[in-house]
Amino acid sequence: MTKTHKGPELLGRKAALPASPDEAELDLVANPHPSETYLVRFVAPEFTSLCPVTGQPDFAHIVIDYAPAEWLVESKSLKLYLSSYRNHGAFHEDCTLRIAKDLVAALAPRWLRIGGYWYPRGGIPIDVFWQTGAPPQGLWLPDQGVPSYRGRG
């Protein structure tokens, strides 16, 4: 479980890159509009992790959408958390779902979905999708905007 802070502990100060997701910390800030149903989107187009078998780097475009309840995740802490996967060995499915489940555990959002659009390794791109359930009624839910992999052609 990723450590959380209620309040911006990392914002405004120098913070080292965590060595792994287990060492990462997420800062939570109070949602100024907890009674509203709205979507927050974070996009990490240059996410990296390591293959747990070969140690070779894997690359992904990660899109995180969530409908907050009482808490928001502070963006600097999320950036550091996502960067902590850089030297972490795990399969695509594990990375994608762990990110989502760590955020759900920290935020208790009304709803969350993640799209992990992984670049090909061995000629096969892997896309991983997960969500907590049906989105809340009335939530504007735009497309994640990441086209299917088409190669260089």
Side-chain angles (χ1 to χ4, degrees), residues 83-128:
S83 296
S84 75
Y85 282 83
R86 179 170 293 155
N87 295 311
H88 178 71
F91 290 111
H92 301 156
E93 297 85 351
D94 185 36
C95 289
T96 305
L97 269 67
R98 175 161 181 194
I99 292 165
K101 290 180 177 186
D102 280 354
L103 288 171
V104 167
L107 297 169
R110 289 189 171 116
W111 178 81
L112 182 140
R113 78 172 173 184
I114 189 168
Y117 302 87
W118 293 84
Y119 292 90
R121 291 264 315 190
I124 300 174
I126 299 173
D127 295 337
V128 181

Side-chain angles (χ1 to χ4, degrees), residues 10-30:
L10 300 171
L11 188 62
R13 70 176 176 89
K14 187 174 181 169
L17 184 65
S20 73
D22 293 327
E23 295 180 19
E25 302 175 14
L26 289 170
D27 285 353
L28 310 181
V29 294

Side-chain angles (χ1 to χ4, degrees), residues 10 16 63 65 73 75 79 114-115:
L10 300 171
V63 181
D65 292 327
V73 64
S75 61
K79 178 182 77 169
I114 189 168

